[in-house]
């Protein structure tokens, strides 16, 4: 399966009377912090209309579960979990069990076990199909979900299929309210719930496909030019990065180039619409610049320094740059997108956009299931932890770097030897405070987990090796006509930093819902896992 799963939203974003009977549930997914504004959902139509507001986007080709629990005699929405519908029906039972057990057991660990469940199946018709055909084809999947929930004593009070602009209930067979032809969905934004959600500041970000499109490699005539630029940059940078002094110089050049491009992006005139914004950013970033940045960010110390651009005006420009770089990771450099995607996920999380953070981190894990930094951030975000602890580590690292730079300049000015700068990586105690200990890697994992990989156009290969004693790991990318072209993964701290600024430390929050195999299990209650993708590969921390 190439499934994708996540949950979004808070655990207490709805308050409703308990369902009067199976097939009906009253729910209010929109409320103010003081419970002053509530919307009651009593019918399948209202529940169908509520789905985008529960998730923050319109799900596609998805199984969605929304947990309900009792609070003061009223039902309340709990965690949500989403999983892509497997193409092969033989996989439905496994996917349903994975999703249900993940949501229920995860909720139990948080002390909020679901008492009821609402299930959604969302899929558009294929060639020659109608919405009703989709509903009938997915009926066994709906039944499997109900059986899995029932086995855990969590009844499904409503199961809906949404397809072709209509919805059907699997729990109600009354022709008067749930006809066999289905009922039309309301126009987006016209319901009472939509008005209440707008008032409460809840936004629907479009579809998941639209969000992902901003960070997927571009498919244009310029792909060959970007691939050639990446090949050329890899050829020239490999030998330099393998050398300690050269690695420091590459790190400095990478950060300086990134700052220069960020200033260019920030000064660009505004345009209207997301596609136009991304196109403008693509035009402002040259192929050679993009290639140098993509390869330079494969050095984890350089990447962690760049992660300090996480607040204020820096964050907006950095987010645009990381998205643009992810779009430039064309075949056969798809694996390298893990670094800019992880940085994009971190900036989004740091600035409060958990939806894009989860998606970017899931895509990073799709590009490289073993990318440790993405796994750590992913679980921290899924666990609902406060990113401030990570920001604090990065700020302290920048201060330490500024102090070290000052000492180095002072020593050099007096003819002394330059001061060697070390990595400002958080201690294991700091990492433990950022995420649950069950997901925290050992110190050995943090110091050595960085796979190497090699690939050719149209074919990818992976290999894993422990870091050598001197701390340098290699990751090469060979092409048939350039067997030596590759990407290097330095393991030791690199020198150089942002000109006129301080250096961020290495923040390694424990955040992962992703196993080393890349298979994503649904993580409940505000969690999402990465996708075991077909569009990416692997990298180290």
């Amino acid at each position: 399966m190439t499934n994708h799963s996540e949950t979004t939203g808070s655990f207490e974003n709805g308050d409703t009377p308990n369902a009067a009977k199976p097939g009906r549930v009253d729910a209010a997914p929109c409320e103010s912090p003081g419970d002053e504004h509530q919307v009651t959902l009593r019918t399948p139509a209202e529940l169908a209309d509520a789905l985008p507001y529960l998730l923050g986007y319109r799900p596609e080709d998805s199984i969605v579960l929304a947990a309900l629990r009792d609070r003061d005699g009223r039902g309340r929405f709990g965690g949500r979990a989403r999983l892509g519908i497997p193409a092969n029906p033989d996989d439905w039972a496994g996917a349903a069990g994975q999703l249900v057990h993940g949501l229920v057991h995860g909720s139990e660990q948080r002390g909020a076990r679901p008492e009821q469940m609402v299930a959604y199946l969302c899929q558009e018709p294929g060639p020659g199909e109608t919405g009703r055909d989709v509903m009938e084809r997915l009926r066994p999947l709906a039944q499997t979900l109900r059986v899995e929930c029932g086995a855990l004593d969590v009844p499904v009070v409503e199961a809906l299929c949404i397809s072709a602009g209509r919805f059907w209930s699997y729990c109600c067979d009354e022709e008067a309210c749930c006809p066999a032809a289905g009922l039309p969905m309301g126009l987006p934004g016209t319901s009472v719930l939509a008005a209440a959600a707008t008032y409460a500041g809840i936004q629907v970000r479009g579809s998941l496909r639209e969000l992902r499109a901003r960070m997927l490699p571009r498919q244009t005539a310029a792909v060959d030019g970007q691939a050639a630029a990446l090949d050329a940059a890899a050829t020239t940078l490999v030998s330099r990065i393998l050398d300690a002094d050269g690695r420091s110089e590459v790190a400095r050049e990478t950060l300086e180039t990134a700052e220069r491009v960020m200033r260019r992006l920030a000064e660009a005139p505004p345009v209207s619409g997301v596609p136009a914004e991304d196109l403008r950013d693509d035009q402002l970033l040259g192929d050679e610049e993009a290639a140098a940045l993509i390869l330079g960010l494969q050095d984890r110390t350089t990447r962690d320094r760049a992660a300090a651009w996480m607040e204020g005006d820096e964050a907006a420009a950095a987010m645009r740059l990381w998205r643009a770089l992810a779009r430039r990771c064309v075949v056969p450099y798809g694996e390298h997108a893990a670094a800019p995607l992880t940085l994009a996920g971190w900036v989004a999380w740091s600035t409060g956009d958990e939806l894009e953070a989860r998606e970017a981190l899931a895509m990073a894990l799709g590009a490289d299931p073993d990318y440790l930094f993405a796994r750590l951030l992913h679980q921290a975000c899924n666990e609902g932890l406060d990113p401030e602890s990570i920001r604090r580590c990065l700020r302290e690292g920048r201060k330490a770097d500024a102090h070290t730079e000052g000492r180095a300049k002072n020593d050099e000015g007096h003819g002394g030897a330059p001061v060697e700068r070390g990595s400002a990586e958080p201690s294991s105690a700091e990492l433990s405070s950022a995420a649950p200990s069950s997901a925290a890697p050992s110190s050995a994992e943090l110091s050595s987990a960085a796979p190497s990989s090699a690939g050719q156009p149209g074919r990818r290969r992976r290999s894993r090796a422990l870091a050598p004693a001197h701390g340098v790991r290699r990751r090469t990318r060979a092409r048939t006509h350039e067997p030596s072209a590759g990407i290097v993964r330095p393991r030791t701290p690199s020198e150089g930093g942002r000109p006129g600024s301080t250096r961020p430390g290495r923040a390694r929050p424990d955040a992962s819902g992703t196993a080393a195999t890349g298979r994503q299990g649904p993580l409940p209650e505000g969690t999402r896992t990465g996708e075991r993708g077909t569009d990416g590969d692997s990298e180290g921390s």
Side-chain angles (χ1 to χ4, degrees):
M1 291 188 300
T2 55
N3 285 335
H4 180 93
S5 66
E6 84 281 355
T7 63
T8 60
S10 65
F11 309 127
E12 306 202 348
N13 61 347
D15 191 340
T16 65
N18 284 329
K21 61 178 181 176
R24 295 292 181 272
V25 59
D26 296 336
C30 305
E31 63 174 340
S32 72
D35 291 352
E36 297 175 356
H37 305 281
Q38 300 177 6
V39 177
T40 300
L41 310 178
R42 294 189 177 90
T43 67
E46 291 169 339
L47 281 172
D49 183 67
L51 181 57
Y53 301 98
L54 292 175
L55 296 178
Y57 60 89
R58 299 191 303 273
E60 302 164 314
D61 195 30
S62 301
I63 310 168
V64 180
L65 292 180
L68 297 171
R69 60 189 180 86
D70 179 75
R71 183 168 180 179
D72 299 328
R74 299 174 70 84
R76 195 176 186 89
F77 276 111
R80 292 77 141 144
R82 190 199 74 89
L83 187 69
I85 298 176
N88 187 345
D90 292 340
D91 294 329
W92 287 357
Q98 184 183 38
L99 191 66
V100 171
H101 285 72
L103 180 55
V104 173
H105 293 316
S107 300
E108 288 176 337
Q109 292 177 359
R110 290 181 170 82
R113 189 178 195 278
E115 297 176 358
Q116 297 174 327
M117 201 78 75
V118 178
Y120 298 86
L121 298 178
C122 308
Q123 191 173 76
E124 290 304 299
E129 273 191 321
T130 65
R132 183 172 180 179
D133 293 336
V134 173
M135 182 271 293
E136 293 294 348
R137 176 167 53 80
L138 296 179
R139 186 181 292 277
L141 176 56
Q143 181 61 24
T144 301
L145 287 168
R146 298 175 71 179
V147 170
E148 292 286 348
C149 288
L152 297 178
D153 295 325
V154 182
V156 174
V157 296
E158 184 56 90
L160 300 174
C161 176
I162 300 175
S163 180
R166 305 181 74 85
F167 71 90
W168 290 260
S169 171
Y170 290 112
C171 296
C172 177
D173 56 4
E174 298 178 11
E175 185 69 20
C177 64
C178 297
L183 291 172
M185 298 284 294
L187 293 175
T190 60
S191 66
V192 174
L193 176 60
T198 301
Y199 182 83
I202 298 175
Q203 297 180 349
V204 176
R205 301 276 297 276
S207 69
L208 200 61
R209 183 182 293 114
E210 293 168 344
L211 184 61
R212 289 172 59 87
R214 303 195 70 184
M215 297 177 282
L216 286 172
R218 59 187 185 180
Q219 302 294 328
T220 67
V223 168
D224 290 341
Q226 184 62 70
L230 284 163
D231 287 342
T235 301
T236 59
L237 289 177
V238 166
S239 59
R240 296 180 62 197
I241 296 178
L242 285 176
D243 177 75
D245 293 334
R247 183 166 62 253
S248 300
E249 185 69 12
V250 171
R252 181 185 62 79
E253 292 172 1
T254 299
L255 294 171
E256 288 179 352
T257 301
E259 283 193 309
R260 183 172 63 253
V261 175
M262 286 167 56
R263 286 193 296 269
R264 189 186 308 157
L265 295 175
E267 294 168 359
V271 295
S272 178
V274 169
E277 290 176 356
D278 292 343
L279 178 60
R280 173 203 57 197
D281 292 347
D282 287 339
Q283 293 172 342
L284 292 171
L285 179 63
D287 287 348
E288 290 75 16
E289 284 179 321
L293 289 171
I294 289 168
L295 296 177
L297 289 172
Q298 305 307 306
D299 174 3
R300 67 177 191 173
T301 304
T302 306
R303 176 207 64 198
D304 291 346
R305 285 176 167 177
W309 302 329
M310 60 192 176
E311 300 174 290
D313 294 337
E314 282 184 334
M319 188 68 184
R320 290 166 61 185
L321 175 58
W322 306 145
R323 287 196 199 108
L325 291 179
R327 293 193 294 270
R328 298 298 186 96
C329 292
V330 299
V331 174
Y333 290 88
E335 290 181 348
H336 298 74
L341 285 170
T342 301
L343 289 170
W346 160 238
V347 173
W349 184 34
S350 177
T351 55
D353 188 350
E354 293 190 5
L355 175 58
E356 185 160 6
R358 289 190 180 98
E359 188 58 31
L361 293 170
M363 292 175 68
L365 292 168
D368 181 356
D370 299 319
Y371 199 72
L372 185 59
F373 191 32
R375 284 197 283 131
L376 297 175
L377 285 175
H378 197 242
Q379 183 169 345
C381 181
N382 290 341
E383 292 292 335
L385 301 179
D386 187 353
E388 178 58 26
S389 60
I390 305 169
R391 287 194 294 259
R392 186 163 52 249
C393 290
L394 291 172
R395 294 189 198 106
E396 291 172 356
R398 294 179 76 167
K399 292 178 182 178
D401 188 61
H403 177 68
T404 304
E405 284 183 355
R407 289 179 55 195
K409 291 179 180 179
N410 183 63
D411 290 343
E412 290 172 358
H414 290 83
V419 177
E420 182 72 19
R421 284 174 293 187
S423 172
E425 183 172 353
S427 66
S428 58
E430 291 170 325
L431 290 169
S432 297
S433 67
S437 59
S438 61
S442 67
S443 58
E445 290 174 324
L446 289 173
S447 63
S448 67
S452 62
S453 61
Q456 297 177 350
R459 182 177 182 180
R460 295 186 178 90
R461 297 179 181 176
R462 285 186 194 152
S463 61
R464 294 187 60 88
L466 293 177
H470 61 278
V472 177
R473 298 193 74 165
R474 304 184 186 183
R475 176 165 134 179
T476 59
R477 259 215 191 264
R479 300 188 72 160
T480 54
H481 60 285
E482 288 182 293
S484 62
I487 184 65
V488 178
R489 250 184 227 295
R491 296 292 300 171
T492 56
S494 60
E495 298 184 27
R498 297 180 50 202
S501 66
T502 55
R503 168 192 175 184
R506 291 180 49 101
R508 285 195 173 280
D510 292 350
S512 171
T514 307
T517 61
R519 182 174 295 278
Q520 306 304 314
L523 297 179
E525 302 247 332
T527 69
R528 60 178 290 154
T529 64
E531 186 172 49
R532 188 179 183 181
T534 58
D535 46 75
D537 304 275
S538 169
E539 171 198 305
S541 66

